[in-house]
Amino acid sequence: MVAMADVMHLVAEHGHRSALYFAGPKEWRDAATRLMAWNKLCAANAVSSVTVQCETWESTEAYGKMNHILENIGRTGGNLRRAWCVRTTARRLVCLVRCMNMACVFRRM
């Protein structure tokens, strides 16, 4: 929960009000725990979040889904002022994704 709180602090600090959350496989307890913590923090901080469910931990799956979403936003004339991908570990927040643990795309509203 501490790592997720760090992510939410970053979201709030930059004034973001909506986010995409890339969740790990449903059958993994770690993924379910992270998603539950994220949803609780979103509710507590008035952040609207859409969960993008991944079936594997493969980064290529998350990148493919993220690229598809971003292409659709661009195709429909949407505007992302700022987008980040973040990876969380139990100890720190890293603003670079190498393997998909958890990724978010934030949009300032």
Side-chain angles (χ1 to χ4, degrees), residues 2 6 26 32 68 70 73 78 107:
V2 173
D6 289 343
K26 288 180 181 179
H68 178 73
L70 294 175
I73 290 170
R107 182 174 180 192

Side-chain angles (χ1 to χ4, degrees), residues 2-42:
V2 173
M4 223 32 95
D6 289 343
V7 173
M8 186 54 67
H9 176 75
L10 185 64
V11 171
E13 181 180 315
H14 290 279
H16 298 293
R17 291 277 145 255
S18 66
L20 295 176
Y21 180 87
F22 290 76
K26 288 180 181 179
E27 63 273 4
W28 284 71
R29 182 178 175 187
D30 290 352
T33 301
R34 287 185 192 112
L35 179 57
M36 189 182 327
W38 175 252
N39 287 334
K40 285 181 182 179
L41 287 164
C42 284

Side-chain angles (χ1 to χ4, degrees), residues 3 9 15-16 19 23 31 36 40 47 56 61 75 78 97 104 107:
H9 176 75
H16 298 293
M36 189 182 327
K40 285 181 182 179
V47 171
T56 70
E61 179 187 4
R75 203 176 3 258
V97 173
C104 300
R107 182 174 180 192

Side-chain angles (χ1 to χ4, degrees), residues 37-104:
W38 175 252
N39 287 334
K40 285 181 182 179
L41 287 164
C42 284
N45 290 278
V47 171
S48 172
S49 179
V50 173
T51 300
V52 178
Q53 187 65 55
C54 292
E55 302 301 318
T56 70
W57 290 109
E58 295 295 323
S59 59
T60 53
E61 179 187 4
Y63 280 118
K65 288 182 181 224
M66 182 173 49
N67 286 335
H68 178 73
I69 290 166
L70 294 175
E71 286 171 4
N72 283 338
I73 290 170
R75 203 176 3 258
T76 60
N79 181 21
L80 286 177
R81 295 183 187 148
R82 183 179 306 199
W84 296 324
C85 294
V86 294
R87 176 176 178 239
T88 61
T89 65
R91 297 181 187 209
R92 67 179 190 257
L93 173 67
V94 181
C95 290
L96 178 64
V97 173
R98 286 187 86 86
C99 64
M100 204 287 285
N101 243 355
M102 191 280 296
C104 300

